[in-house]
Amino acid sequence: MQKVAPMVNWGIVGLGDVCAVKAGPAFLKADGSNLVAVMRRTPGAAERWVQQHAPGKGVKAYSDLDDFLADPTLSAVYIATPPGAHLEVALKVAGAGKAAYIEKPVGRSGAEAARIAEAFAARGVPLFTAYISRAYERTMAVRQLLREGAVGER
């Protein structure tokens, strides 16, 4: 018997270009993934994003992070804000007990990234980093060259 993965009800914080091109469409189309809410502090911006990228999909729009995190349908949050806001947003997401997928860099420093990781670990909540470039063909080609010793120190 095949195991069925549970549905992940995603929310997105930060609705810049990366969401319009990469993440937003993926959360709407991926099996086991459901985009339920988006949040941007600029009044009206989340509503406009929903109208443009998810019309008729039932995606809720928020301009307040606390209201967004209180949404009972939300199970995981994609943090796509500018890096300077990652710490504040991530700590609130961890505090709300929601899993997170955070854009790189996780923090502006190693200490900031460690603080974020510790907050999720303390709550026993999953934290993932969006390192999509690891799967790029050019990145894999460089890895292969390094493994073969074609580049780098010998």
Side-chain angles (χ1 to χ4, degrees):
M1 179 178 219
Q2 187 177 7
K3 221 175 171 179
V4 177
M7 180 66 71
V8 178
N9 287 325
W10 287 98
I12 301 173
V13 177
L15 300 172
D17 291 341
V18 73
C19 287
V21 175
K22 181 181 81 166
F27 290 130
L28 287 165
K29 295 176 183 176
D31 289 339
S33 179
N34 186 30
L35 182 60
V36 297
V38 295
M39 185 266 160
R40 187 165 179 174
R41 290 183 178 147
T42 305
E47 288 83 358
R48 286 189 299 277
W49 192 94
V50 169
Q51 289 170 357
Q52 185 176 3
H53 301 287
K57 303 281 188 187
V59 177
K60 292 170 266 181
Y62 293 92
S63 60
D64 180 84
L65 183 58
D66 294 326
D67 291 343
F68 168 84
L69 291 172
D71 186 322
T73 64
L74 191 62
S75 56
V77 177
Y78 173 48
I79 301 171
T81 60
H86 284 183
L87 179 64
E88 174 192 355
V89 173
L91 294 179
K92 284 192 170 201
V93 172
K98 312 286 186 187
Y101 179 55
I102 188 168
E103 263 307 326
K104 63 190 175 315
V106 171
R108 293 173 292 182
S109 66
E112 201 171 277
R115 190 167 166 205
I116 291 168
E118 289 163 6
F120 281 87
R123 292 293 305 253
V125 180
L127 171 66
F128 304 94
T129 306
Y131 282 119
I132 189 171
S133 60
R134 293 174 64 181
Y136 288 168
E137 187 176 329
R138 64 181 174 258
T139 304
M140 292 188 288
V142 169
R143 280 194 191 137
Q144 184 63 33
L145 290 170
L146 289 168
R147 275 193 296 276
E148 294 169 355
V151 294
E153 292 184 26
R154 294 180 190 231

